Amino acid sequence: MTDSDRTRAHVFVSGTVQGVYFRATTRDAAREAGVSGWVRNLADGRVEAVFEGPEEGVDSMVEFCHEGSPAADVSDVAVEYGDPEGESGFEIRR
């Protein structure tokens, strides 16, 4: 897959998204979708994530963020699209 076949989404998720397994569920969903990147909690209570991969997989992960884990209560999802930066695998960052 060339970079022209890949896209990147930088996502910020607001609401009740920390302490509800949002990051672990996101990691599992991203791996299942074949998407690379990372997810982490922010000090202000939001979750930040980067998704890289085929457009269809990245779009599915952005949609996933609107729901998140079963215990999450998402109030807003902000997304910025950009050029891939070569992410490989998917990890939870601290």
Side-chain angles (χ1 to χ4, degrees), residues 7 29-30 33-35 51-64:
T7 190
V35 173
F51 306 113
E52 269 191 25
E55 187 174 342
E56 183 177 302
V58 170
D59 287 347
S60 74
M61 288 309 303
V62 171
E63 285 303 312
F64 167 86

Side-chain angles (χ1 to χ4, degrees), residues 8 23 37-41 50 87 91-94:
R8 177 183 178 95
R23 293 176 301 157
W38 50 266
V39 62
R40 69 178 173 187
N41 286 339
V50 166
E87 298 287 342
E91 67 179 9
I92 296 175
R93 291 189 176 173
R94 303 266 178 233

Side-chain angles (χ1 to χ4, degrees), residues 16-28:
T16 304
V17 292
Q18 291 189 14
V20 292
Y21 298 101
F22 195 99
R23 293 176 301 157
T25 306
T26 300
R27 176 199 58 211
D28 296 346

